PDB file of all heavy atoms in Angstrom:
ATOM      1  N   GLN L 243      49.111  47.262  13.217  1.00  0.00           N
ATOM      2  CA  GLN L 243      48.006  46.982  14.152  1.00  0.00           C
ATOM      3  C   GLN L 243      48.450  46.177  15.375  1.00  0.00           C
ATOM      4  O   GLN L 243      47.686  46.069  16.334  1.00  0.00           O
ATOM      5  CB  GLN L 243      46.884  46.208  13.428  1.00  0.00           C
ATOM      6  CG  GLN L 243      46.283  46.916  12.214  1.00  0.00           C
ATOM      7  CD  GLN L 243      45.786  48.291  12.508  1.00  0.00           C
ATOM      8  OE1 GLN L 243      45.176  48.539  13.547  1.00  0.00           O
ATOM      9  NE2 GLN L 243      46.078  49.231  11.633  1.00  0.00           N
ATOM     10  N   VAL L 244      49.661  45.598  15.311  1.00  0.00           N
ATOM     11  CA  VAL L 244      50.137  44.806  16.456  1.00  0.00           C
ATOM     12  C   VAL L 244      50.251  45.700  17.676  1.00  0.00           C
ATOM     13  O   VAL L 244      50.803  46.803  17.617  1.00  0.00           O
ATOM     14  CB  VAL L 244      51.524  44.196  16.138  1.00  0.00           C
ATOM     15  CG1 VAL L 244      52.136  43.557  17.366  1.00  0.00           C
ATOM     16  CG2 VAL L 244      51.376  43.157  15.040  1.00  0.00           C
ATOM     17  N   GLY L 245      49.703  45.237  18.770  1.00  0.00           N
ATOM     18  CA  GLY L 245      49.656  46.119  19.941  1.00  0.00           C
ATOM     19  C   GLY L 245      50.536  45.669  21.098  1.00  0.00           C
ATOM     20  O   GLY L 245      51.058  44.559  21.092  1.00  0.00           O
ATOM     21  N   PHE L 246      50.740  46.586  21.998  1.00  0.00           N
ATOM     22  CA  PHE L 246      51.362  46.316  23.298  1.00  0.00           C
ATOM     23  C   PHE L 246      52.716  45.616  23.180  1.00  0.00           C
ATOM     24  O   PHE L 246      52.995  44.674  23.915  1.00  0.00           O
ATOM     25  CB  PHE L 246      50.417  45.475  24.187  1.00  0.00           C
ATOM     26  CG  PHE L 246      49.068  46.059  24.336  1.00  0.00           C
ATOM     27  CD1 PHE L 246      47.968  45.443  23.758  1.00  0.00           C
ATOM     28  CD2 PHE L 246      48.870  47.268  24.996  1.00  0.00           C
ATOM     29  CE1 PHE L 246      46.699  45.994  23.872  1.00  0.00           C
ATOM     30  CE2 PHE L 246      47.600  47.831  25.128  1.00  0.00           C
ATOM     31  CZ  PHE L 246      46.514  47.178  24.554  1.00  0.00           C
ATOM     32  N   SER L 247      53.504  46.096  22.221  1.00  0.00           N
ATOM     33  CA  SER L 247      54.880  45.565  22.056  1.00  0.00           C
ATOM     34  C   SER L 247      54.886  44.050  21.919  1.00  0.00           C
ATOM     35  O   SER L 247      55.752  43.379  22.484  1.00  0.00           O
ATOM     36  CB  SER L 247      55.766  45.983  23.246  1.00  0.00           C
ATOM     37  OG  SER L 247      55.964  47.360  23.235  1.00  0.00           O
ATOM     38  N   ASP L 248      53.911  43.505  21.191  1.00  0.00           N
ATOM     39  CA  ASP L 248      53.830  42.052  20.981  1.00  0.00           C
ATOM     40  C   ASP L 248      54.843  41.651  19.932  1.00  0.00           C
ATOM     41  O   ASP L 248      54.528  41.479  18.745  1.00  0.00           O
ATOM     42  CB  ASP L 248      52.399  41.691  20.543  1.00  0.00           C
ATOM     43  CG  ASP L 248      52.192  40.199  20.388  1.00  0.00           C
ATOM     44  OD1 ASP L 248      53.167  39.445  20.536  1.00  0.00           O
ATOM     45  OD2 ASP L 248      51.043  39.799  20.079  1.00  0.00           O
ATOM     46  N   VAL L 249      56.093  41.470  20.396  1.00  0.00           N
ATOM     47  CA  VAL L 249      57.185  41.198  19.468  1.00  0.00           C
ATOM     48  C   VAL L 249      56.998  39.857  18.768  1.00  0.00           C
ATOM     49  O   VAL L 249      57.359  39.698  17.602  1.00  0.00           O
ATOM     50  CB  VAL L 249      58.535  41.230  20.223  1.00  0.00           C
ATOM     51  CG1 VAL L 249      59.681  40.872  19.308  1.00  0.00           C
ATOM     52  CG2 VAL L 249      58.764  42.607  20.813  1.00  0.00           C
ATOM     53  N   THR L 250      56.456  38.901  19.472  1.00  0.00           N
ATOM     54  CA  THR L 250      56.277  37.564  18.876  1.00  0.00           C
ATOM     55  C   THR L 250      55.387  37.622  17.651  1.00  0.00           C
ATOM     56  O   THR L 250      55.727  37.090  16.590  1.00  0.00           O
ATOM     57  CB  THR L 250      55.663  36.589  19.920  1.00  0.00           C
ATOM     58  OG1 THR L 250      56.480  36.599  21.095  1.00  0.00           O
ATOM     59  CG2 THR L 250      55.590  35.180  19.348  1.00  0.00           C
ATOM     60  N   THR L 251      54.260  38.307  17.778  1.00  0.00           N
ATOM     61  CA  THR L 251      53.357  38.447  16.637  1.00  0.00           C
ATOM     62  C   THR L 251      54.007  39.289  15.530  1.00  0.00           C
ATOM     63  O   THR L 251      53.908  38.954  14.352  1.00  0.00           O
ATOM     64  CB  THR L 251      52.026  39.110  17.080  1.00  0.00           C
ATOM     65  OG1 THR L 251      51.426  38.295  18.082  1.00  0.00           O
ATOM     66  CG2 THR L 251      51.074  39.248  15.911  1.00  0.00           C
ATOM     67  N   ALA L 252      54.679  40.350  15.946  1.00  0.00           N
ATOM     68  CA  ALA L 252      55.353  41.217  14.958  1.00  0.00           C
ATOM     69  C   ALA L 252      56.375  40.422  14.181  1.00  0.00           C
ATOM     70  O   ALA L 252      56.468  40.544  12.950  1.00  0.00           O
ATOM     71  CB  ALA L 252      56.019  42.402  15.674  1.00  0.00           C
ATOM     72  N   ARG L 253      57.123  39.585  14.854  1.00  0.00           N
ATOM     73  CA  ARG L 253      58.150  38.804  14.173  1.00  0.00           C
ATOM     74  C   ARG L 253      57.534  37.805  13.203  1.00  0.00           C
ATOM     75  O   ARG L 253      58.011  37.616  12.085  1.00  0.00           O
ATOM     76  CB  ARG L 253      59.026  38.054  15.201  1.00  0.00           C
ATOM     77  CG  ARG L 253      60.343  37.544  14.634  1.00  0.00           C
ATOM     78  CD  ARG L 253      61.159  36.848  15.698  1.00  0.00           C
ATOM     79  NE  ARG L 253      61.559  37.751  16.771  1.00  0.00           N
ATOM     80  CZ  ARG L 253      62.556  38.621  16.682  1.00  0.00           C
ATOM     81  NH1 ARG L 253      63.273  38.710  15.567  1.00  0.00           N
ATOM     82  NH2 ARG L 253      62.871  39.399  17.711  1.00  0.00           N
ATOM     83  N   SER L 254      56.441  37.212  13.605  1.00  0.00           N
ATOM     84  CA  SER L 254      55.737  36.246  12.741  1.00  0.00           C
ATOM     85  C   SER L 254      55.241  36.928  11.462  1.00  0.00           C
ATOM     86  O   SER L 254      55.390  36.408  10.360  1.00  0.00           O
ATOM     87  CB  SER L 254      54.577  35.636  13.528  1.00  0.00           C
ATOM     88  OG  SER L 254      53.760  34.892  12.685  1.00  0.00           O
ATOM     89  N   ILE L 255      54.644  38.097  11.618  1.00  0.00           N
ATOM     90  CA  ILE L 255      54.157  38.856  10.454  1.00  0.00           C
ATOM     91  C   ILE L 255      55.345  39.287   9.595  1.00  0.00           C
ATOM     92  O   ILE L 255      55.290  39.211   8.347  1.00  0.00           O
ATOM     93  CB  ILE L 255      53.365  40.103  10.896  1.00  0.00           C
ATOM     94  CG1 ILE L 255      52.113  39.675  11.679  1.00  0.00           C
ATOM     95  CG2 ILE L 255      52.974  40.945   9.691  1.00  0.00           C
ATOM     96  CD1 ILE L 255      51.403  40.841  12.354  1.00  0.00           C
ATOM     97  N   PHE L 256      56.421  39.694  10.240  1.00  0.00           N
ATOM     98  CA  PHE L 256      57.591  40.155   9.514  1.00  0.00           C
ATOM     99  C   PHE L 256      58.193  39.036   8.663  1.00  0.00           C
ATOM    100  O   PHE L 256      58.605  39.247   7.529  1.00  0.00           O
ATOM    101  CB  PHE L 256      58.643  40.672  10.496  1.00  0.00           C
ATOM    102  CG  PHE L 256      59.910  41.163   9.854  1.00  0.00           C
ATOM    103  CD1 PHE L 256      59.913  42.327   9.094  1.00  0.00           C
ATOM    104  CD2 PHE L 256      61.099  40.466   9.998  1.00  0.00           C
ATOM    105  CE1 PHE L 256      61.077  42.759   8.481  1.00  0.00           C
ATOM    106  CE2 PHE L 256      62.261  40.893   9.408  1.00  0.00           C
ATOM    107  CZ  PHE L 256      62.259  42.057   8.639  1.00  0.00           C
ATOM    108  N   GLU L 257      58.213  37.800   9.205  1.00  0.00           N
ATOM    109  CA  GLU L 257      58.743  36.655   8.440  1.00  0.00           C
ATOM    110  C   GLU L 257      57.903  36.437   7.184  1.00  0.00           C
ATOM    111  O   GLU L 257      58.439  36.147   6.110  1.00  0.00           O
ATOM    112  CB  GLU L 257      58.756  35.389   9.302  1.00  0.00           C
ATOM    113  CG  GLU L 257      59.690  35.445  10.517  1.00  0.00           C
ATOM    114  CD  GLU L 257      61.148  35.692  10.152  1.00  0.00           C
ATOM    115  OE1 GLU L 257      61.605  35.214   9.091  1.00  0.00           O
ATOM    116  OE2 GLU L 257      61.832  36.392  10.921  1.00  0.00           O
ATOM    117  N   ARG L 258      56.598  36.582   7.301  1.00  0.00           N
ATOM    118  CA  ARG L 258      55.733  36.423   6.117  1.00  0.00           C
ATOM    119  C   ARG L 258      55.929  37.578   5.151  1.00  0.00           C
ATOM    120  O   ARG L 258      55.883  37.419   3.925  1.00  0.00           O
ATOM    121  CB  ARG L 258      54.271  36.342   6.545  1.00  0.00           C
ATOM    122  CG  ARG L 258      53.949  35.073   7.334  1.00  0.00           C
ATOM    123  CD  ARG L 258      52.453  34.759   7.330  1.00  0.00           C
ATOM    124  NE  ARG L 258      51.665  35.767   8.018  1.00  0.00           N
ATOM    125  CZ  ARG L 258      51.409  35.783   9.319  1.00  0.00           C
ATOM    126  NH1 ARG L 258      51.928  34.848  10.103  1.00  0.00           N
ATOM    127  NH2 ARG L 258      50.662  36.708   9.859  1.00  0.00           N
ATOM    128  N   LEU L 259      56.175  38.755   5.707  1.00  0.00           N
ATOM    129  CA  LEU L 259      56.459  39.927   4.876  1.00  0.00           C
ATOM    130  C   LEU L 259      57.725  39.724   4.037  1.00  0.00           C
ATOM    131  O   LEU L 259      57.760  40.093   2.858  1.00  0.00           O
ATOM    132  CB  LEU L 259      56.601  41.178   5.754  1.00  0.00           C
ATOM    133  CG  LEU L 259      57.032  42.471   5.066  1.00  0.00           C
ATOM    134  CD1 LEU L 259      55.987  42.933   4.062  1.00  0.00           C
ATOM    135  CD2 LEU L 259      57.273  43.566   6.090  1.00  0.00           C
ATOM    136  N   LEU L 260      58.711  39.106   4.627  1.00  0.00           N
ATOM    137  CA  LEU L 260      59.968  38.839   3.901  1.00  0.00           C
ATOM    138  C   LEU L 260      59.708  37.942   2.701  1.00  0.00           C
ATOM    139  O   LEU L 260      60.274  38.151   1.619  1.00  0.00           O
ATOM    140  CB  LEU L 260      60.997  38.189   4.820  1.00  0.00           C
ATOM    141  CG  LEU L 260      61.615  39.071   5.889  1.00  0.00           C
ATOM    142  CD1 LEU L 260      62.625  38.294   6.721  1.00  0.00           C
ATOM    143  CD2 LEU L 260      62.305  40.291   5.247  1.00  0.00           C
ATOM    144  N   ILE L 261      58.870  36.949   2.884  1.00  0.00           N
ATOM    145  CA  ILE L 261      58.516  36.039   1.781  1.00  0.00           C
ATOM    146  C   ILE L 261      57.815  36.838   0.678  1.00  0.00           C
ATOM    147  O   ILE L 261      58.132  36.697  -0.519  1.00  0.00           O
ATOM    148  CB  ILE L 261      57.621  34.876   2.276  1.00  0.00           C
ATOM    149  CG1 ILE L 261      58.418  34.004   3.263  1.00  0.00           C
ATOM    150  CG2 ILE L 261      57.109  34.048   1.092  1.00  0.00           C
ATOM    151  CD1 ILE L 261      57.584  32.971   3.992  1.00  0.00           C
ATOM    152  N   ASP L 262      56.851  37.666   1.088  1.00  0.00           N
ATOM    153  CA  ASP L 262      56.125  38.488   0.118  1.00  0.00           C
ATOM    154  C   ASP L 262      57.096  39.388  -0.647  1.00  0.00           C
ATOM    155  O   ASP L 262      56.975  39.568  -1.864  1.00  0.00           O
ATOM    156  CB  ASP L 262      55.073  39.364   0.833  1.00  0.00           C
ATOM    157  CG  ASP L 262      53.901  38.561   1.367  1.00  0.00           C
ATOM    158  OD1 ASP L 262      53.776  37.373   0.977  1.00  0.00           O
ATOM    159  OD2 ASP L 262      53.126  39.099   2.191  1.00  0.00           O
ATOM    160  N   CYS L 263      58.031  39.982   0.073  1.00  0.00           N
ATOM    161  CA  CYS L 263      58.976  40.905  -0.553  1.00  0.00           C
ATOM    162  C   CYS L 263      59.843  40.191  -1.570  1.00  0.00           C
ATOM    163  O   CYS L 263      60.161  40.766  -2.635  1.00  0.00           O
ATOM    164  CB  CYS L 263      59.861  41.573   0.511  1.00  0.00           C
ATOM    165  SG  CYS L 263      59.008  42.845   1.442  1.00  0.00           S
ATOM    166  N   THR L 264      60.252  38.981  -1.249  1.00  0.00           N
ATOM    167  CA  THR L 264      61.072  38.222  -2.212  1.00  0.00           C
ATOM    168  C   THR L 264      60.301  37.977  -3.495  1.00  0.00           C
ATOM    169  O   THR L 264      60.835  38.120  -4.598  1.00  0.00           O
ATOM    170  CB  THR L 264      61.488  36.889  -1.585  1.00  0.00           C
ATOM    171  OG1 THR L 264      62.170  37.123  -0.350  1.00  0.00           O
ATOM    172  CG2 THR L 264      62.384  36.070  -2.513  1.00  0.00           C
ATOM    173  N   GLN L 265      59.021  37.623  -3.350  1.00  0.00           N
ATOM    174  CA  GLN L 265      58.197  37.348  -4.528  1.00  0.00           C
ATOM    175  C   GLN L 265      57.949  38.632  -5.332  1.00  0.00           C
ATOM    176  O   GLN L 265      58.005  38.618  -6.573  1.00  0.00           O
ATOM    177  CB  GLN L 265      56.861  36.734  -4.092  1.00  0.00           C
ATOM    178  CG  GLN L 265      57.013  35.322  -3.522  1.00  0.00           C
ATOM    179  CD  GLN L 265      55.724  34.781  -2.941  1.00  0.00           C
ATOM    180  OE1 GLN L 265      54.870  35.521  -2.464  1.00  0.00           O
ATOM    181  NE2 GLN L 265      55.585  33.474  -2.954  1.00  0.00           N
ATOM    182  N   VAL L 266      57.672  39.716  -4.630  1.00  0.00           N
ATOM    183  CA  VAL L 266      57.433  40.990  -5.314  1.00  0.00           C
ATOM    184  C   VAL L 266      58.681  41.446  -6.050  1.00  0.00           C
ATOM    185  O   VAL L 266      58.613  41.921  -7.187  1.00  0.00           O
ATOM    186  CB  VAL L 266      56.939  42.068  -4.324  1.00  0.00           C
ATOM    187  CG1 VAL L 266      57.029  43.462  -4.921  1.00  0.00           C
ATOM    188  CG2 VAL L 266      55.521  41.776  -3.897  1.00  0.00           C
ATOM    189  N   ARG L 267      59.807  41.313  -5.385  1.00  0.00           N
ATOM    190  CA  ARG L 267      61.080  41.730  -5.987  1.00  0.00           C
ATOM    191  C   ARG L 267      61.302  40.959  -7.301  1.00  0.00           C
ATOM    192  O   ARG L 267      61.653  41.568  -8.329  1.00  0.00           O
ATOM    193  CB  ARG L 267      62.218  41.497  -5.022  1.00  0.00           C
ATOM    194  CG  ARG L 267      63.537  42.008  -5.522  1.00  0.00           C
ATOM    195  CD  ARG L 267      64.632  41.944  -4.429  1.00  0.00           C
ATOM    196  NE  ARG L 267      65.825  42.583  -4.909  1.00  0.00           N
ATOM    197  CZ  ARG L 267      66.741  41.954  -5.649  1.00  0.00           C
ATOM    198  NH1 ARG L 267      66.583  40.706  -5.968  1.00  0.00           N
ATOM    199  NH2 ARG L 267      67.822  42.616  -6.072  1.00  0.00           N
ATOM    200  N   SER L 268      61.071  39.666  -7.242  1.00  0.00           N
ATOM    201  CA  SER L 268      61.237  38.835  -8.438  1.00  0.00           C
ATOM    202  C   SER L 268      60.312  39.291  -9.555  1.00  0.00           C
ATOM    203  O   SER L 268      60.716  39.449 -10.715  1.00  0.00           O
ATOM    204  CB  SER L 268      60.984  37.380  -8.070  1.00  0.00           C
ATOM    205  OG  SER L 268      61.030  36.569  -9.217  1.00  0.00           O
ATOM    206  N   ALA L 269      59.046  39.522  -9.206  1.00  0.00           N
ATOM    207  CA  ALA L 269      58.064  39.940 -10.225  1.00  0.00           C
ATOM    208  C   ALA L 269      58.410  41.311 -10.805  1.00  0.00           C
ATOM    209  O   ALA L 269      58.281  41.536 -12.006  1.00  0.00           O
ATOM    210  CB  ALA L 269      56.664  39.959  -9.596  1.00  0.00           C
ATOM    211  N   MET L 270      58.846  42.211  -9.933  1.00  0.00           N
ATOM    212  CA  MET L 270      59.195  43.562 -10.423  1.00  0.00           C
ATOM    213  C   MET L 270      60.417  43.521 -11.317  1.00  0.00           C
ATOM    214  O   MET L 270      60.471  44.247 -12.336  1.00  0.00           O
ATOM    215  CB  MET L 270      59.453  44.492  -9.224  1.00  0.00           C
ATOM    216  CG  MET L 270      58.182  45.007  -8.578  1.00  0.00           C
ATOM    217  SD  MET L 270      58.562  46.305  -7.376  1.00  0.00           S
ATOM    218  CE  MET L 270      56.905  46.864  -6.984  1.00  0.00           C
ATOM    219  N   LEU L 271      61.406  42.706 -10.973  1.00  0.00           N
ATOM    220  CA  LEU L 271      62.613  42.629 -11.811  1.00  0.00           C
ATOM    221  C   LEU L 271      62.287  42.017 -13.165  1.00  0.00           C
ATOM    222  O   LEU L 271      62.850  42.422 -14.181  1.00  0.00           O
ATOM    223  CB  LEU L 271      63.687  41.820 -11.090  1.00  0.00           C
ATOM    224  CG  LEU L 271      64.340  42.541  -9.885  1.00  0.00           C
ATOM    225  CD1 LEU L 271      65.325  41.611  -9.176  1.00  0.00           C
ATOM    226  CD2 LEU L 271      65.032  43.826 -10.310  1.00  0.00           C
ATOM    227  N   GLN L 272      61.345  41.093 -13.181  1.00  0.00           N
ATOM    228  CA  GLN L 272      60.913  40.509 -14.456  1.00  0.00           C
ATOM    229  C   GLN L 272      60.253  41.583 -15.309  1.00  0.00           C
ATOM    230  O   GLN L 272      60.528  41.692 -16.513  1.00  0.00           O
ATOM    231  CB  GLN L 272      59.903  39.374 -14.207  1.00  0.00           C
ATOM    232  CG  GLN L 272      60.521  38.041 -13.894  1.00  0.00           C
ATOM    233  CD  GLN L 272      59.455  36.959 -13.709  1.00  0.00           C
ATOM    234  OE1 GLN L 272      58.403  36.984 -14.350  1.00  0.00           O
ATOM    235  NE2 GLN L 272      59.716  36.025 -12.834  1.00  0.00           N
ATOM    236  N   GLU L 273      59.388  42.366 -14.695  1.00  0.00           N
ATOM    237  CA  GLU L 273      58.682  43.425 -15.428  1.00  0.00           C
ATOM    238  C   GLU L 273      59.686  44.471 -15.903  1.00  0.00           C
ATOM    239  O   GLU L 273      59.593  44.962 -17.027  1.00  0.00           O
ATOM    240  CB  GLU L 273      57.621  44.067 -14.509  1.00  0.00           C
ATOM    241  CG  GLU L 273      56.896  45.265 -15.103  1.00  0.00           C
ATOM    242  CD  GLU L 273      56.023  44.923 -16.312  1.00  0.00           C
ATOM    243  OE1 GLU L 273      55.851  43.737 -16.642  1.00  0.00           O
ATOM    244  OE2 GLU L 273      55.528  45.884 -16.956  1.00  0.00           O
ATOM    245  N   ARG L 274      60.628  44.785 -15.064  1.00  0.00           N
ATOM    246  CA  ARG L 274      61.674  45.753 -15.413  1.00  0.00           C
ATOM    247  C   ARG L 274      62.463  45.273 -16.643  1.00  0.00           C
ATOM    248  O   ARG L 274      62.656  46.037 -17.596  1.00  0.00           O
ATOM    249  CB  ARG L 274      62.632  45.915 -14.228  1.00  0.00           C
ATOM    250  CG  ARG L 274      63.695  46.952 -14.392  1.00  0.00           C
ATOM    251  CD  ARG L 274      64.639  46.940 -13.189  1.00  0.00           C
ATOM    252  NE  ARG L 274      65.536  48.059 -13.220  1.00  0.00           N
ATOM    253  CZ  ARG L 274      66.665  48.098 -13.940  1.00  0.00           C
ATOM    254  NH1 ARG L 274      66.982  47.094 -14.704  1.00  0.00           N
ATOM    255  NH2 ARG L 274      67.429  49.180 -13.899  1.00  0.00           N
ATOM    256  N   GLN L 275      62.846  44.025 -16.622  1.00  0.00           N
ATOM    257  CA  GLN L 275      63.608  43.448 -17.709  1.00  0.00           C
ATOM    258  C   GLN L 275      62.785  43.431 -19.000  1.00  0.00           C
ATOM    259  O   GLN L 275      63.292  43.783 -20.089  1.00  0.00           O
ATOM    260  CB  GLN L 275      64.046  42.019 -17.342  1.00  0.00           C
ATOM    261  CG  GLN L 275      64.957  41.347 -18.328  1.00  0.00           C
ATOM    262  CD  GLN L 275      66.300  42.034 -18.448  1.00  0.00           C
ATOM    263  OE1 GLN L 275      66.683  42.825 -17.589  1.00  0.00           O
ATOM    264  NE2 GLN L 275      67.002  41.783 -19.533  1.00  0.00           N
ATOM    265  N   ARG L 276      61.527  43.074 -18.857  1.00  0.00           N
ATOM    266  CA  ARG L 276      60.630  43.046 -20.010  1.00  0.00           C
ATOM    267  C   ARG L 276      60.509  44.409 -20.664  1.00  0.00           C
ATOM    268  O   ARG L 276      60.583  44.546 -21.899  1.00  0.00           O
ATOM    269  CB  ARG L 276      59.248  42.542 -19.570  1.00  0.00           C
ATOM    270  CG  ARG L 276      58.248  42.300 -20.708  1.00  0.00           C
ATOM    271  CD  ARG L 276      56.828  42.172 -20.166  1.00  0.00           C
ATOM    272  NE  ARG L 276      56.315  43.444 -19.687  1.00  0.00           N
ATOM    273  CZ  ARG L 276      55.832  44.390 -20.469  1.00  0.00           C
ATOM    274  NH1 ARG L 276      55.838  44.258 -21.784  1.00  0.00           N
ATOM    275  NH2 ARG L 276      55.379  45.528 -19.934  1.00  0.00           N
ATOM    276  N   ARG L 277      60.381  45.430 -19.848  1.00  0.00           N
ATOM    277  CA  ARG L 277      60.195  46.787 -20.368  1.00  0.00           C
ATOM    278  C   ARG L 277      61.470  47.301 -21.024  1.00  0.00           C
ATOM    279  O   ARG L 277      61.419  47.953 -22.068  1.00  0.00           O
ATOM    280  CB  ARG L 277      59.775  47.718 -19.235  1.00  0.00           C
ATOM    281  CG  ARG L 277      58.429  47.382 -18.611  1.00  0.00           C
ATOM    282  CD  ARG L 277      58.050  48.357 -17.551  1.00  0.00           C
ATOM    283  NE  ARG L 277      57.572  49.609 -18.107  1.00  0.00           N
ATOM    284  CZ  ARG L 277      56.299  49.884 -18.373  1.00  0.00           C
ATOM    285  NH1 ARG L 277      55.365  48.983 -18.124  1.00  0.00           N
ATOM    286  NH2 ARG L 277      55.957  51.039 -18.881  1.00  0.00           N
ATOM    287  N   ILE L 278      62.612  46.980 -20.432  1.00  0.00           N
ATOM    288  CA  ILE L 278      63.896  47.420 -21.004  1.00  0.00           C
ATOM    289  C   ILE L 278      64.127  46.755 -22.348  1.00  0.00           C
ATOM    290  O   ILE L 278      64.564  47.390 -23.316  1.00  0.00           O
ATOM    291  CB  ILE L 278      65.057  47.154 -20.026  1.00  0.00           C
ATOM    292  CG1 ILE L 278      64.955  48.126 -18.835  1.00  0.00           C
ATOM    293  CG2 ILE L 278      66.410  47.294 -20.712  1.00  0.00           C
ATOM    294  CD1 ILE L 278      65.911  47.802 -17.711  1.00  0.00           C
ATOM    295  N   GLN L 279      63.818  45.454 -22.401  1.00  0.00           N
ATOM    296  CA  GLN L 279      63.992  44.723 -23.665  1.00  0.00           C
ATOM    297  C   GLN L 279      63.021  45.238 -24.719  1.00  0.00           C
ATOM    298  O   GLN L 279      63.386  45.385 -25.882  1.00  0.00           O
ATOM    299  CB  GLN L 279      63.771  43.235 -23.436  1.00  0.00           C
ATOM    300  CG  GLN L 279      64.961  42.552 -22.786  1.00  0.00           C
ATOM    301  CD  GLN L 279      64.730  41.112 -22.449  1.00  0.00           C
ATOM    302  OE1 GLN L 279      63.587  40.619 -22.468  1.00  0.00           O
ATOM    303  NE2 GLN L 279      65.792  40.399 -22.106  1.00  0.00           N
ATOM    304  N   ALA L 280      61.793  45.541 -24.316  1.00  0.00           N
ATOM    305  CA  ALA L 280      60.796  46.046 -25.266  1.00  0.00           C
ATOM    306  C   ALA L 280      61.203  47.419 -25.790  1.00  0.00           C
ATOM    307  O   ALA L 280      61.021  47.735 -26.969  1.00  0.00           O
ATOM    308  CB  ALA L 280      59.437  46.137 -24.592  1.00  0.00           C
TER     309      ALA L 280
END
Side-chain angles (χ1 to χ4, degrees):
Chain L
Q243 302 306 318
V244 171
F246 307 111
S247 293
D248 184 356
V249 176
T250 306
T251 301
R253 196 178 297 281
S254 170
I255 297 169
F256 180 70
E257 295 301 326
R258 293 200 295 274
L259 174 64
L260 288 180
I261 295 170
D262 289 346
C263 284
T264 303
Q265 291 173 332
V266 165
R267 185 171 187 276
S268 174
M270 281 190 172
L271 288 176
Q272 277 182 33
E273 175 66 7
R274 184 184 189 277
Q275 186 65 18
R276 187 196 70 79
R277 296 182 77 92
I278 288 171
Q279 283 175 347

